[in-house]
């Protein structure tokens, strides 16, 4: 007996994608926040700046993923 795979509607796919991407977006903001904290705590700004840049790159990558996956710019 072969099991049939269940298919999701586009709306269900979008809801799951939102749940997953929300966690990644929080990760980007946490990395940027850690960079801000490091910049304020230390006497040098450069190490914290690298964390903030890394967080911004994460956010940009996920924004590109969302645009590509759901073709927002038609």
């Amino acid at each position: 007996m072969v099991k049939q795979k269940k298919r999701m509607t586009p709306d269900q796919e979008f809801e799951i994608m939102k749940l997953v991407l929300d966690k990644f977006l929080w990760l980007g903001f946490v990395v940027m926040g850690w960079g801000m904290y490091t910049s304020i705590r230390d006497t040098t700004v450069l190490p914290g700046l690298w964390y903030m840049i890394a967080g911004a790159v994460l956010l940009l990558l996920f924004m590109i993923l969302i645009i590509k996956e759901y073709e927002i710019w038609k």
Side-chain angles (χ1 to χ4, degrees):
M1 184 171 135
V2 177
K3 278 188 160 182
Q4 289 285 343
K5 288 186 177 181
K6 292 184 181 180
R7 301 270 182 202
M8 290 192 297
T9 65
D11 191 47
Q12 289 172 328
E13 266 185 43
F14 183 70
E15 290 298 319
I16 290 174
M17 182 97 169
K18 279 194 322 188
L19 289 171
V20 171
L21 286 177
D22 183 53
K23 305 305 182 266
F24 286 121
L25 293 174
W26 274 110
L27 178 67
F29 280 114
V30 166
V31 170
M32 288 180 76
W34 179 255
M36 182 63 74
Y37 171 74
T38 305
S39 292
I40 293 170
R41 184 191 61 187
D42 293 340
T43 56
T44 60
V45 177
L46 194 60
L49 184 65
W50 285 115
Y51 280 110
M52 287 188 275
I53 291 171
V57 167
L58 277 174
L59 291 175
L60 284 172
L61 285 174
F62 294 127
M63 181 185 69
I64 291 168
L65 176 70
I66 291 170
I67 290 172
K68 277 186 145 183
E69 182 69 27
Y70 288 100
E71 298 174 3
I72 293 172
W73 302 103
K74 278 192 171 182

